[in-house]
Amino acid sequence: MSGSRRKQKERLAPFVPIFNDELESTAYRTLTPSAAKLLPYFKRICSKVTKTKADEVTVFGFTYAEAEKYGFPNAKFTRAIKALVLHGFVDIVEAGGLRGVGYSCSKYRLSKRWLTFGGIGWAQEAHRAGR
C-alpha cells in the first residue's frame, strides 16, 4: 500500500498553472499568439524535469521535434522562443544546434524578467543579456 501512495504522490498535477499576475502583465498581453501558446509547454517540461512545480533554476531542453509534435513548425517555434526571451519568460542557457555545441538541443530556464518588461531599465537589461 505504501508503494502505491508513493507513486501517486510523485505524479505531476494534471494542469500547468499560469498565474493571474502573469496573465495580466504587459509582457503576456503583448506576446504573439504562438508564443502565448508555447509558454505552458515550457512550464510543463520544466515541471517534468523537477517532478514538482516549475521554477527559475531548473535547466531543461526543448527540441524542435517535441515542438513539432505540439503543432509548432520550425520557423514558428523559433519566433515564439525569441518572443518569450524578449518578453522575459524564458532565458536561453546554452545554445544548441548542428554547428554550435555539436548536435545538442538548446537548454532553457524559466525567468521572472517579465515582471520588469517595458519598465525603466528593461531595455538596458535586455541589451546586456544579448537579446
Side-chain angles (χ1 to χ4, degrees), residues 46-68:
C46 182
S47 64
K48 279 184 179 180
V49 170
T50 62
K51 301 275 192 248
T52 60
K53 67 177 188 161
D55 59 13
E56 289 79 36
V57 296
T58 304
V59 177
F60 57 92
F62 194 178
T63 65
Y64 280 81
E66 287 176 301
E68 197 167 344

Side-chain angles (χ1 to χ4, degrees), residues 82-100:
K82 286 180 181 179
L84 288 174
V85 169
L86 179 67
H87 287 74
F89 288 100
V90 175
D91 287 329
I92 299 174
V93 176
E94 181 182 317
L98 296 176
R99 296 175 194 91

Side-chain angles (χ1 to χ4, degrees), residues 24-58:
E24 295 169 359
S25 70
T26 305
Y28 189 83
R29 284 186 280 129
T30 57
L31 277 175
T32 61
S34 58
K37 182 182 170 188
L38 184 63
L39 181 60
Y41 289 110
F42 270 96
K43 288 185 164 214
R44 184 172 82 177
I45 289 172
C46 182
S47 64
K48 279 184 179 180
V49 170
T50 62
K51 301 275 192 248
T52 60
K53 67 177 188 161
D55 59 13
E56 289 79 36
V57 296
T58 304

Side-chain angles (χ1 to χ4, degrees), residues 113-127:
R113 287 183 303 105
W114 59 269
L115 291 167
T116 60
F117 178 79
I120 299 171
W122 172 80
Q124 293 172 347
E125 180 186 332
H127 178 71

